[in-house]
Amino acid sequence: MDRMLEAPDWISLQKQCQDLALSVQFYLNITKTTLKEKVVHEIKAYLESHYHENIQLDQLAERFDLNSSYVSNLYSRSTGQTILEYVTWLRIRKAKKMLWESSFKISKTSSNVGYDNQRYFCQVFKKHVGASPGQYRKEHMMKSEENQPL
């Protein structure tokens, strides 16, 4: 600012103002990007903790004090997938782990990962994994038995 006040002529003052404006614009762009990244990171963290709940976009947006369309577009542009796709991926990943590590019934696994309808869970699971939950568990058990020493 002092340099501006001490500018020897109008052209120097214009140049300093232009440089300052570019610096401010650069700073604002970085800050805006950083804030968007922070919001996306916070949304992902929230989804990872609450994937088993019935997550509604408007409630998610309200939680972050943002517009639901903005949240949806920001998340999709930043991650390359929709919020629903990410929640589904989290649920399927957790279901696979539960099928490996527990003897829960499929209905219990379904409800534990956030699906109230077991039939729908089985359809989604098969679409993403290529096998039904029961087949997946059976195949995993057979593989782990094959790897057991005699």
Side-chain angles (χ1 to χ4, degrees), residues 38-147:
K38 184 177 184 240
V39 169
V40 169
H41 178 73
E42 289 176 4
I43 290 170
K44 281 185 107 169
Y46 179 83
L47 295 173
E48 288 168 7
S49 298
H50 298 272
Y51 68 90
H52 57 282
E53 298 172 9
N54 183 12
I55 299 171
Q56 300 294 318
L57 180 59
D58 57 339
Q59 293 169 337
L60 183 64
E62 186 178 315
R63 174 169 179 69
F64 290 96
D65 200 26
L66 297 167
N67 176 288
S68 58
S69 295
Y70 178 76
V71 168
S72 178
N73 289 329
L74 172 65
Y75 190 87
S76 295
R77 280 191 316 246
S78 298
T79 64
Q81 65 183 160
T82 67
I83 290 171
L84 178 60
E85 289 169 339
Y86 185 62
V87 170
T88 301
W89 178 81
L90 289 169
R91 288 175 171 178
I92 296 301
R93 185 182 74 174
K94 183 65 174 180
K96 286 167 63 175
K97 185 175 176 159
M98 290 176 76
L99 291 167
W100 293 338
E101 297 175 354
S102 75
S103 58
F104 288 150
K105 291 184 177 184
I106 304 297
S107 60
K108 179 73 172 163
T109 300
S110 171
S111 64
N112 282 350
V113 298
Y115 289 99
D116 295 333
N117 184 322
Q118 179 184 341
R119 178 178 285 155
Y120 180 66
F121 164 71
C122 291
Q123 288 173 345
V124 172
F125 190 93
K126 186 167 186 168
K127 177 182 174 189
H128 289 273
V129 178
S132 71
Q135 292 168 325
Y136 181 81
R137 175 180 272 162
K138 198 180 296 184
E139 288 172 13
H140 180 73
M141 288 172 63
M142 288 178 5
K143 286 180 185 176
S144 62
E145 287 174 3
E146 290 171 2
N147 294 329

